[in-house]
Amino acid sequence: ADSLAISYLWGGGETSRFITIDSTDTYIVTVFNTRCAGSDSIHVEFRPTFNGLAIGVLDSTDTVCDGEPMRFTGITSRSVVDWMWSFGDGDTDTAQVSEHSYVSGGNYTVELEATYLCGQDSITDLFSETVKITQTPSVELGADTFACTDVVQIRPQENDDFGYDYRWFFGGEELEKGYELTVTEEGMYRLFVNNDGCTTEDSIQVFFSTEFVIPNVFTPNSDGVNDYFRIQVTPECHDFDEMSVYNRWGTLVFFTQRPLFEAWNGYNQAGEKLSPGMYFYQLSGPDGSFRGTVSLLSE
């Protein structure tokens, strides 16, 4: 201002040399000195403050697991014309409020580009935040186990315990914690694995089978009940490699080299149905030799 100026008058009535403004407007000031007066104006456009982004889990838990949906929200009082989310895993979205889930654990940098109008100008702000995704454990106990002894160790099929929290249950009661469990009783065992709040589970049925049964009667009448002469044995626990069946005259009527998997249906090797009566079997292999009789009944 001119050094001869003695007073100021702003459009809003202020008379100080400086004023504080907080909104977009055209501001006019008139300056007076002892001889004359002059006016000028300036238009001030405020660039709005963008409030940023908000990230939250849909179920409001503290831990976010892989595969769990999250809500991402751009927060502003301005009229945004374009939204662009980048979730750090290659996926993007253009909605103000977006739901996204991650397929694996890790730290991801989430970025939001918000474009809005400021007067005639288009302005883009960039915001970012890091989210931590916890990996849900993968656990597989495998198929049901037939134990050939009176004790067996069960454990996940993974090669490493990864430091997770392992809890074993049997009959509704918690047994112990640990990657491996010693089992001495038949039944269903459940394993719960926890990684910082992300959990999974699996179960396995344990059977103890140290004996085998050779039936002494069967009824091959196609009623679906006891139609075969079959060695009742757990293949993992016993080893027999031949079984022969003879009639009362010593004629071979059935033979197999897979006695643990093949059964006699009451027919001879020519495919002829045999008469009811008593037959003689011989079972042999590394586990020993066994001889006995079996009755073929018609009913």
Side-chain angles (χ1 to χ4, degrees):
D2 194 303
S3 60
L4 297 177
I6 58 174
S7 63
Y8 304 87
L9 179 62
W10 294 89
E14 299 90 342
T15 58
S16 61
R17 184 176 180 182
F18 302 98
I19 63 172
T20 301
I21 59 176
D22 59 6
S23 61
T24 298
D25 203 347
T26 298
Y27 294 87
I28 302 173
V29 62
T30 301
V31 182
F32 301 89
N33 63 19
T34 55
R35 294 189 294 270
C36 58
S39 298
D40 199 3
S41 65
I42 185 172
H43 182 78
V44 179
E45 182 79 27
F46 269 81
R47 178 174 175 175
T49 299
F50 197 86
N51 300 103
L53 67 158
I55 300 175
V57 187
L58 293 185
D59 61 5
S60 299
T61 59
D62 294 331
T63 300
V64 185
C65 307
D66 57 298
E68 183 176 2
M70 300 179 65
R71 177 175 288 130
F72 298 83
T73 305
I75 304 174
T76 181
S77 59
R78 306 297 293 183
S79 297
V80 174
V81 294
D82 286 303
W83 302 90
M84 175 56 71
W85 291 95
S86 176
F87 297 108
D89 61 353
D91 286 353
T92 60
D93 195 8
T94 57
Q96 179 181 2
V97 180
S98 178
E99 291 183 8
H100 183 70
S101 60
Y102 294 88
V103 298
S104 59
N107 293 323
Y108 297 87
T109 299
V110 179
E111 294 183 342
L112 171 62
E113 292 184 7
T115 302
Y116 51 92
L117 297 179
C118 183
Q120 300 299 316
D121 298 325
S122 177
I123 300 174
T124 299
D125 276 344
L126 175 65
F127 303 88
S128 66
E129 187 170 331
T130 300
V131 296
K132 178 183 178 182
I133 307 299
T134 301
Q135 184 70 41
T136 300
S138 175
V139 60
E140 175 61 54
L141 292 176
D144 293 342
T145 296
F146 291 86
C148 304
T149 60
D150 56 1
V151 61
V152 65
Q153 302 287 332
I154 56 176
R155 55 179 288 179
Q157 294 184 342
E158 291 78 9
N159 294 326
D160 193 347
D161 66 9
F162 301 104
Y164 297 150
D165 178 31
Y166 296 86
R167 296 174 181 264
W168 294 92
F169 290 82
F170 177 71
E173 296 184 2
E174 184 172 358
L175 299 178
E176 59 184 70
K177 297 180 181 180
Y179 182 62
E180 191 172 58
L181 180 69
T182 300
V183 174
T184 59
E185 185 177 353
E186 285 190 338
M188 178 71 72
Y189 291 82
R190 304 189 70 86
L191 173 62
F192 291 82
V193 186
N194 184 344
N195 178 28
D196 195 23
C198 298
T199 61
T200 189
E201 65 178 275
D202 196 17
S203 62
I204 186 172
Q205 185 83 31
V206 177
F207 302 93
F208 289 100
S209 179
T210 58
E211 299 180 354
F212 64 93
V213 176
I214 303 177
N216 58 10
V217 63
F218 75 117
T219 55
N221 55 8
S222 301
D223 65 352
V225 179
N226 198 27
D227 285 329
Y228 295 89
F229 174 56
R230 187 190 310 274
I231 308 302
Q232 299 174 12
V233 63
T234 302
E236 294 85 353
C237 300
H238 298 280
D239 188 8
F240 296 103
D241 51 28
E242 285 188 1
M243 184 174 72
S244 304
V245 180
Y246 303 88
N247 62 19
R248 67 177 65 186
W249 297 283
T251 302
L252 180 68
V253 296
F254 176 76
F255 174 77
T256 178
Q257 291 182 315
R258 302 179 69 244
L260 303 185
F261 304 97
E262 294 182 356
W264 179 37
N265 61 2
Y267 288 72
N268 63 19
Q269 293 179 303
E272 300 168 337
K273 186 175 182 179
L274 297 175
S275 301
M278 183 176 292
Y279 292 82
F280 302 85
Y281 67 83
Q282 179 173 323
L283 180 66
S284 61
D287 277 8
S289 295
F290 298 86
R291 293 181 175 87
T293 61
V294 58
S295 295
L296 188 160
L297 304 181
S298 58
E299 297 295 338

